[in-house]
Amino acid sequence: MCDREAVHYTASNAHDCLQWLIDQGVPFDMEFDSKGKERFHLTREGVIAIDAFCMPPMLLAKQCKQR
């Protein structure tokens, strides 16, 4: 159902793109684990942050890769 190349590209660049968003000041939801350590809330919608920039994920991934 998905374009294999697009899925591979997006998954391969996800970490760098998320770090780029964090570096730009995008606020992500945080939570505390059972040991009290702060971490990203992984079950909330992550795409909303990308939508805030009005950038399709592929374009965002390309921009992150250029930096």
Side-chain angles (χ1 to χ4, degrees), residues 4-46:
R4 181 181 286 260
E5 184 177 332
V7 170
H8 176 74
Y9 185 86
T10 302
S12 297
N13 291 286
H15 180 270
D16 291 339
C17 289
L18 284 173
Q19 187 59 54
W20 181 82
L21 288 169
I22 293 165
D23 293 344
Q24 302 307 306
V26 174
F28 286 94
D29 291 322
M30 303 298 286
E31 65 179 354
F32 292 95
D33 66 15
S34 61
K35 296 179 181 177
K37 183 178 177 185
E38 190 174 35
R39 65 180 184 183
F40 291 106
H41 194 295
L42 300 178
T43 59
R44 300 237 174 152
E45 293 289 333

